[in-house]
Amino acid sequence: MGETFGLHLMLDGYGCDRSRLESEQFVYEFLDEFPENIGMTKLMRPYVFRYKGTDRSDWGLSGFVLIAESHVSIHTFPASGYVSIDIFSCKSFDTARAEKEIVDKFAIRRVEKNILDRGVEYPRNTDIAEKIVISERSQCRLKAVGAQ
């Protein structure tokens, strides 16, 4: 993770166990236990909401838990056997361990994984911030002198 602000793991799971995707209790328990399992600090109880669209197959669950390090969110689509889970944390974590637990919990057959470094310009300490500001000001001065 280097000098970035945080890590964002996004998992899309296909071919999931439908009964798990449609269970509010299962999704709630996942969100309740998962943060601690990956070394995070849960700040609140999870929230899970059921959505139903006009089409009978257009429904699912969305859940969220706020953690001290940021958040974990989930969206299920039972009719399609699909789940989307995001973990954003300003604290480094084992993405492979997180992925394995999610794959096991939701019985995912195929997973698509994306990992982003967030806040790549976010300085972790004032020395770095000072160097960035000085460099940017120097570049601005050079551009101003060149434009005259």
Side-chain angles (χ1 to χ4, degrees):
M1 187 167 71
E3 289 293 326
T4 63
F5 179 76
L7 196 60
H8 193 152
L9 172 63
M10 296 163 282
L11 292 178
D12 295 294
Y14 303 91
C16 303
D17 181 319
R18 182 178 176 140
S19 66
R20 297 175 191 182
L21 297 179
E22 59 190 19
S23 169
E24 288 178 52
Q25 184 64 34
F26 182 84
V27 170
Y28 180 92
E29 288 173 3
F30 167 77
L31 289 170
D32 196 44
E33 298 165 2
F34 184 72
E36 185 177 335
N37 294 349
I38 61 169
M40 303 298 171
T41 308
K42 187 173 56 174
L43 294 179
M44 60 179 241
R45 67 183 181 90
Y47 285 90
V48 178
F49 302 93
R50 180 177 293 268
Y51 167 79
K52 286 192 177 197
T54 54
D55 182 335
R56 288 181 61 125
S57 66
D58 183 19
W59 77 279
L61 303 173
S62 289
F64 182 84
V65 64
L66 189 62
I67 57 178
E69 300 79 10
S70 195
H71 74 272
V72 178
S73 64
I74 182 171
H75 303 282
T76 74
F77 300 84
S80 303
Y82 172 76
V83 65
S84 172
I85 299 176
D86 285 16
I87 306 155
F88 177 42
S89 173
C90 59
K91 174 183 172 185
S92 186
F93 66 99
D94 185 341
T95 58
R97 180 175 161 206
E99 178 183 357
K100 180 177 180 350
E101 181 170 342
I102 291 167
V103 167
D104 291 347
K105 290 270 187 192
F106 289 90
I108 296 173
R109 289 193 199 125
R110 187 171 60 82
V111 69
E112 179 184 328
K113 171 176 59 176
N114 290 288
I115 301 173
L116 294 175
D117 281 326
R118 300 280 306 266
V120 293
E121 293 185 29
Y122 179 83
R124 286 243 174 229
N125 64 50
T126 56
D127 291 338
I128 292 172
E130 181 181 18
K131 289 176 185 173
I132 290 170
V133 169
I134 290 169
S135 172
E136 288 177 351
R137 286 183 181 164
S138 295
Q139 290 173 14
C140 288
R141 281 189 206 107
L142 289 173
K143 287 179 184 176
V145 169
Q148 294 177 353

